[in-house]
């Protein structure tokens, strides 16, 4: 029979505490659970059943506390969903592992457990450097160092379309560079086509990344270094220096050509101009001499004797003006005479060119009496300064 059934002589403690120690049994499990429930109800403000008549206590978990707990859980769930996206970032939200939306910078919310957000820095400038030795079109080996600067353009493609975008970038860069270098000669890679190679590699690499749908965009491709292999670098450096010297000599020769040819052409033009001027002067002088001779013939026909005398005096004057000898009439008894010979000799050269013109002008106005006196027999006497017997020669 149970411990709490009527008819027993001694009361029994359900926890084994009271009565004698002879007939002790383990407590009833149902009663222990009921007592535990009463204690929990008392702890949360519930009421336990009163004693008497073996009635079971009544009570339960209050509904108001349950609502509070649910509200607290809901608020915590909502707060857990807030997250911040930086200005240089974009976020991709997945719902049950599938793409749902793209999130812009700022404060955003996602449903925890149901949704997941992944951030990508789209403002960061990233770089990748490649150094390889490769074969050129003319079967030479060159060492090329290339730097690729890129950014994330499409976060969705970058995160979800491919598994390793950077690895694809590395392989695509190597493939594009080998294709372009393999289509160029060694001289073109080392010196002549560096800029063209850089542009071709950038264009081909961007095409590869777009076809693989990596979400990456190439900002710049920098061809840092192109050189021959280490084992033969000295020989190639000598060849490169020789070619640079050749180019320098060619440029110097072209500069010399550009400076000498115009100068020679200018001198030729000047000589031609001087020749034309000389031709015009000679022709003009000849025409003037011819016109003067014609005029002289006319005058001679009018007065032959006077014209003959004038021509004689003019000729003698020209001959004496070009001579280094000085003829002077010295009066009788005056044997000392000072002449500035040095000044006279210097002045002869300047006056000789103008004497012929002056004599020509004065020839038409010659006074017949000035050339000499008529001796009555129709002939004239020469001036005394030319035929006087007592003349003295001074050297």
């Amino acid at each position: 029979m149970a411990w709490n059934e009527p008819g027993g002589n001694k009361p029994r403690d359900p926890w084994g505490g009271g009565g004698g120690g002879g007939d002790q049994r383990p407590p009833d499990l149902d009663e222990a659970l009921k007592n535990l429930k009463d204690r929990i109800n008392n702890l949360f403000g519930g009421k336990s059943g009163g004693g008497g008549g073996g009635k079971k206590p009544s009570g339960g978990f209050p509904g108001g506390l349950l609502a509070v707990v649910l509200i607290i859980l809901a608020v915590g769930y909502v707060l857990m969903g807030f997250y911040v996206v930086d200005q240089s970032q974009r976020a991709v939200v997945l719902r049950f592992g599938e793409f749902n939306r793209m999130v812009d910078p700022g404060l955003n919310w996602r449903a925890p457990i149901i949704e997941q957000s992944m951030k990508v820095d789209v403002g960061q400038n990233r770089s990748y450097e490649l150094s390889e030795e490769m074969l050129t079109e003319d079967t030479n080996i060159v060492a090329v160092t290339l730097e690729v600067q890129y950014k994330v353009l499409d976060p969705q493609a970058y995160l979800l379309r491919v598994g390793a975008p950077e690895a694809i970038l590395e392989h695509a860069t190597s493939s594009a560079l080998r294709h372009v270098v393999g289509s160029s000669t060694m001289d073109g890679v080392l010196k002549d086509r560096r800029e063209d190679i850089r542009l071709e590699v950038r264009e081909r690499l961007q095409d590869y990344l777009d076809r693989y749908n990596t979400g990456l965009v190439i900002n710049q491709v920098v061809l840092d270094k192109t050189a021959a292999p280490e084992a033969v670098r000295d020989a190639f450096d000598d060849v490169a220096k020789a070619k640079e010297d050749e180019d320098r000599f060619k440029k110097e020769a072209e500069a010399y050509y550009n400076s000498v040819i115009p100068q020679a052409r200018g001198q030729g033009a000047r000589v031609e101009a001087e020749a034309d001027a000389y031709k015009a002067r000679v022709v003009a002088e000849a025409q003037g001499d011819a016109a003067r001779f014609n005029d002289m013939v006319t005058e001679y026909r009018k007065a032959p004797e006077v014209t003959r005398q004038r021509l004689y005096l003019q000729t003698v004057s020209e001959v004496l003006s070009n001579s280094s000898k000085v003829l002077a009439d010295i009066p009788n008894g005056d044997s000392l005479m000072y002449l500035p010979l040095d000044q006279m000799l210097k002045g002869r050269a300047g006056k000789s060119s103008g004497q012929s013109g002056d004599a020509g002008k004065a020839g038409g106005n010659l006074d017949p009496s000035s050339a000499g006196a008529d001796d009555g027999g129709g002939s004239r006497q020469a001036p005394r300064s030319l035929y006087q017997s007592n003349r003295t020669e001074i050297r």
Side-chain angles (χ1 to χ4, degrees), residues 180-200:
V180 175
V181 172
S183 303
S184 305
T185 62
M186 185 170 187
D187 292 337
V189 175
L190 295 179
K191 180 178 59 175
D192 299 335
R193 297 189 64 250
R194 286 175 55 91
E195 183 64 18
D196 296 337
I197 290 175
R198 185 185 69 83
L199 296 177
E200 291 179 11

Side-chain angles (χ1 to χ4, degrees), residues 21-75:
D23 187 11
Q24 295 183 358
R25 296 181 180 180
D28 187 23
L29 183 59
D30 295 335
E31 186 64 25
L33 292 177
K34 291 178 181 178
N35 292 335
L36 180 61
K37 184 177 180 181
D38 291 339
R39 291 186 179 185
I40 292 175
N41 289 335
N42 294 330
L43 180 63
F44 288 98
K47 296 180 180 180
S48 60
K55 295 182 179 180
K56 297 179 181 179
S58 63
F61 200 76
L65 181 60
L66 180 59
V68 172
V69 172
L70 292 177
I71 291 173
I72 292 174
L73 293 177
V75 171

Side-chain angles (χ1 to χ4, degrees), residues 166-388:
E166 278 77 10
I168 294 177
L169 174 65
E170 295 176 6
H171 294 300
T173 302
S174 178
S175 176
L177 183 60
R178 288 182 179 276
H179 185 279
V180 175
V181 172
S183 303
S184 305
T185 62
M186 185 170 187
D187 292 337
V189 175
L190 295 179
K191 180 178 59 175
D192 299 335
R193 297 189 64 250
R194 286 175 55 91
E195 183 64 18
D196 296 337
I197 290 175
R198 185 185 69 83
L199 296 177
E200 291 179 11
V201 169
R202 176 179 178 179
E203 182 179 358
R204 184 173 292 274
L205 178 58
Q206 187 63 61
D207 180 63
Y208 288 165
L209 296 178
D210 294 340
R211 282 161 48 182
Y212 296 148
N213 202 7
T214 59
L216 301 176
V217 61
I218 302 300
N219 291 335
Q220 190 62 264
V221 173
V222 181
L223 196 60
D224 287 336
K225 184 179 180 181
T226 56
E230 188 67 30
V232 294
R233 185 163 298 175
D234 294 338
F236 275 96
D237 290 341
D238 294 338
V239 173
K241 291 179 181 178
K243 291 183 177 180
E244 292 177 356
D245 293 338
E246 179 184 2
D247 295 339
R248 179 170 57 84
F249 292 150
K250 286 182 179 180
K251 292 180 180 179
E252 291 177 354
E254 291 176 357
Y256 178 75
Y257 172 84
N258 294 331
S259 63
V260 170
I261 295 301
Q263 183 178 0
R265 290 175 179 173
Q267 292 177 354
R270 180 173 58 82
V271 171
E272 290 180 358
E274 291 177 353
D276 293 339
Y278 175 77
K279 174 184 176 181
R281 180 173 61 83
V282 170
V283 171
E285 289 179 355
Q287 292 175 351
D289 292 340
R292 185 170 64 253
F293 181 78
N294 293 332
D295 294 340
M296 189 179 299
V297 169
T298 303
E299 295 296 329
Y300 180 80
R301 289 174 180 175
K302 294 179 181 180
E305 195 66 26
V306 175
T307 304
R308 186 183 301 111
Q309 186 67 27
R310 178 171 64 83
L311 293 175
Y312 171 76
L313 294 176
Q314 181 178 349
T315 303
V316 171
S317 177
E318 291 179 357
V319 171
L320 293 179
S321 64
N322 294 325
S323 176
S324 61
K325 297 180 180 180
V326 177
L327 300 178
D329 289 339
I330 300 176
N332 295 329
D334 189 2
S335 60
L336 180 61
M337 183 178 181
Y338 170 76
L339 294 177
L341 298 181
D342 55 346
Q343 299 296 331
M344 293 173 65
L345 293 177
K346 290 181 180 179
R348 286 181 184 273
K351 294 179 180 180
S352 60
S353 60
Q355 284 179 351
S356 60
D358 295 341
K361 294 180 181 179
N365 298 325
L366 286 176
D367 187 2
S369 61
S370 62
D374 192 356
D375 57 357
S379 61
R380 289 186 172 275
Q381 295 180 356
R384 184 176 182 276
S385 60
L386 297 178
Y387 295 100
Q388 188 176 9

Side-chain angles (χ1 to χ4, degrees), residues 7-205:
N9 295 326
K10 295 183 180 181
R12 297 180 180 178
D13 189 355
W15 305 109
D23 187 11
Q24 295 183 358
R25 296 181 180 180
D28 187 23
L29 183 59
D30 295 335
E31 186 64 25
L33 292 177
K34 291 178 181 178
N35 292 335
L36 180 61
K37 184 177 180 181
D38 291 339
R39 291 186 179 185
I40 292 175
N41 289 335
N42 294 330
L43 180 63
F44 288 98
K47 296 180 180 180
S48 60
K55 295 182 179 180
K56 297 179 181 179
S58 63
F61 200 76
L65 181 60
L66 180 59
V68 172
V69 172
L70 292 177
I71 291 173
I72 292 174
L73 293 177
V75 171
Y77 181 82
V78 171
L79 294 178
M80 288 174 58
F82 285 103
Y83 64 99
V84 177
V85 179
D86 293 338
Q87 186 65 33
S88 62
Q89 295 177 338
R90 298 294 184 275
V92 177
V93 178
L94 306 179
R95 180 175 292 175
F96 298 110
E98 185 181 4
F99 174 77
N100 180 261
R101 63 186 181 276
M102 189 80 65
V103 178
D104 293 330
L107 181 62
N108 300 276
W109 187 84
R110 67 179 182 277
I113 302 175
I114 299 176
E115 295 180 342
Q116 178 186 3
S117 63
M118 294 183 293
K119 302 177 183 179
V120 179
D121 193 343
V122 298
Q124 179 184 4
N125 290 320
R126 313 182 186 198
S127 63
Y128 165 70
E129 185 173 294
L130 174 67
S131 297
E132 289 187 358
E133 292 184 355
M134 51 196 66
L135 195 66
T136 61
E137 184 181 19
D138 51 358
T139 65
N140 287 313
I141 299 177
V142 293
V144 180
T145 301
L146 185 74
E147 181 183 1
V148 179
Q149 300 175 4
Y150 65 98
K151 295 173 65 175
V152 177
L153 180 64
D154 187 357
Q156 179 184 356
Y158 178 77
L159 294 173
L160 304 178
R161 298 293 176 85
V162 293
E166 278 77 10
I168 294 177
L169 174 65
E170 295 176 6
H171 294 300
T173 302
S174 178
S175 176
L177 183 60
R178 288 182 179 276
H179 185 279
V180 175
V181 172
S183 303
S184 305
T185 62
M186 185 170 187
D187 292 337
V189 175
L190 295 179
K191 180 178 59 175
D192 299 335
R193 297 189 64 250
R194 286 175 55 91
E195 183 64 18
D196 296 337
I197 290 175
R198 185 185 69 83
L199 296 177
E200 291 179 11
V201 169
R202 176 179 178 179
E203 182 179 358
R204 184 173 292 274
L205 178 58

